[in-house]
CSV table of all heavy atoms in Angstrom, one decimal:
chain,number,residue,atom,x,y,z
A,444,HIS,N,10.8,19.1,-109.2
A,444,HIS,CA,11.8,20.1,-109.4
A,444,HIS,C,13.1,19.9,-108.7
A,444,HIS,O,14.0,20.7,-108.9
A,444,HIS,CB,11.2,21.5,-109.0
A,444,HIS,CG,10.0,21.9,-109.7
A,444,HIS,ND1,10.0,22.2,-111.1
A,444,HIS,CD2,8.7,22.1,-109.3
A,444,HIS,CE1,8.8,22.5,-111.5
A,444,HIS,NE2,8.0,22.5,-110.4
A,445,LEU,N,13.1,18.9,-107.9
A,445,LEU,CA,14.3,18.6,-107.0
A,445,LEU,C,15.5,18.3,-107.9
A,445,LEU,O,15.5,17.4,-108.7
A,445,LEU,CB,14.0,17.5,-106.0
A,445,LEU,CG,14.8,17.5,-104.7
A,445,LEU,CD1,14.4,18.8,-103.9
A,445,LEU,CD2,14.4,16.3,-103.9
A,446,LEU,N,16.7,19.0,-107.6
A,446,LEU,CA,17.9,18.7,-108.2
A,446,LEU,C,18.9,18.0,-107.3
A,446,LEU,O,19.8,17.3,-107.8
A,446,LEU,CB,18.5,20.0,-108.8
A,446,LEU,CG,17.7,20.8,-109.8
A,446,LEU,CD1,18.4,22.1,-110.1
A,446,LEU,CD2,17.4,20.0,-111.0
A,447,TYR,N,18.8,18.2,-106.0
A,447,TYR,CA,19.7,17.6,-105.1
A,447,TYR,C,18.9,17.0,-103.9
A,447,TYR,O,18.0,17.6,-103.4
A,447,TYR,CB,20.7,18.6,-104.5
A,447,TYR,CG,21.7,19.1,-105.4
A,447,TYR,CD1,21.4,20.2,-106.3
A,447,TYR,CD2,23.0,18.6,-105.5
A,447,TYR,CE1,22.3,20.7,-107.2
A,447,TYR,CE2,23.9,19.1,-106.4
A,447,TYR,CZ,23.6,20.1,-107.2
A,447,TYR,OH,24.5,20.6,-108.1
A,448,LEU,N,19.3,15.7,-103.5
A,448,LEU,CA,18.7,15.1,-102.4
A,448,LEU,C,19.8,14.6,-101.4
A,448,LEU,O,20.7,13.9,-101.9
A,448,LEU,CB,17.8,13.9,-102.8
A,448,LEU,CG,17.1,13.1,-101.6
A,448,LEU,CD1,16.2,14.0,-100.8
A,448,LEU,CD2,16.4,11.9,-102.2
A,449,ASN,N,19.7,15.0,-100.2
A,449,ASN,CA,20.7,14.6,-99.2
A,449,ASN,C,22.1,15.0,-99.7
A,449,ASN,O,23.0,14.2,-99.5
A,449,ASN,CB,20.6,13.2,-98.8
A,449,ASN,CG,19.2,12.8,-98.3
A,449,ASN,OD1,18.5,13.7,-97.7
A,449,ASN,ND2,18.8,11.6,-98.4
A,450,ASN,N,22.3,16.2,-100.2
A,450,ASN,CA,23.5,16.7,-100.7
A,450,ASN,C,24.1,16.0,-101.9
A,450,ASN,O,25.3,16.2,-102.2
A,450,ASN,CB,24.6,16.7,-99.6
A,450,ASN,CG,24.2,17.7,-98.5
A,450,ASN,OD1,23.6,18.7,-98.7
A,450,ASN,ND2,24.6,17.3,-97.2
A,451,SER,N,23.4,15.1,-102.6
A,451,SER,CA,23.8,14.4,-103.8
A,451,SER,C,23.0,14.9,-105.0
A,451,SER,O,21.7,15.0,-104.9
A,451,SER,CB,23.7,12.9,-103.6
A,451,SER,OG,24.5,12.4,-102.6
A,452,GLU,N,23.7,15.2,-106.1
A,452,GLU,CA,22.9,15.6,-107.3
A,452,GLU,C,22.2,14.5,-107.9
A,452,GLU,O,22.6,13.3,-107.9
A,452,GLU,CB,23.9,16.2,-108.3
A,452,GLU,CG,23.3,16.8,-109.5
A,452,GLU,CD,24.2,17.4,-110.4
A,452,GLU,OE1,25.5,17.3,-110.2
A,452,GLU,OE2,23.8,18.1,-111.4
A,453,ILE,N,20.9,14.8,-108.3
A,453,ILE,CA,20.1,13.7,-108.9
A,453,ILE,C,20.3,13.7,-110.4
A,453,ILE,O,20.1,14.7,-111.1
A,453,ILE,CB,18.6,14.1,-108.6
A,453,ILE,CG1,18.3,14.1,-107.1
A,453,ILE,CG2,17.7,13.0,-109.3
A,453,ILE,CD1,17.0,14.7,-106.8
A,454,SER,N,20.9,12.6,-110.9
A,454,SER,CA,21.2,12.5,-112.3
A,454,SER,C,19.9,12.3,-113.1
A,454,SER,O,18.9,11.9,-112.5
A,454,SER,CB,22.2,11.4,-112.6
A,454,SER,OG,21.5,10.1,-112.3
A,455,PHE,N,20.0,12.5,-114.4
A,455,PHE,CA,18.9,12.2,-115.3
A,455,PHE,C,18.4,10.8,-115.2
A,455,PHE,O,17.2,10.5,-115.1
A,455,PHE,CB,19.2,12.6,-116.7
A,455,PHE,CG,18.2,12.2,-117.7
A,455,PHE,CD1,17.1,13.0,-118.0
A,455,PHE,CD2,18.3,11.0,-118.4
A,455,PHE,CE1,16.1,12.6,-118.9
A,455,PHE,CE2,17.3,10.6,-119.4
A,455,PHE,CZ,16.2,11.4,-119.6
Side-chain angles (χ1 to χ4, degrees):
H444 297 297
L445 208 62
L446 301 178
Y447 292 83
L448 177 61
N449 300 335
N450 293 328
S451 296
E452 186 173 6
I453 302 168
S454 66
F455 172 81

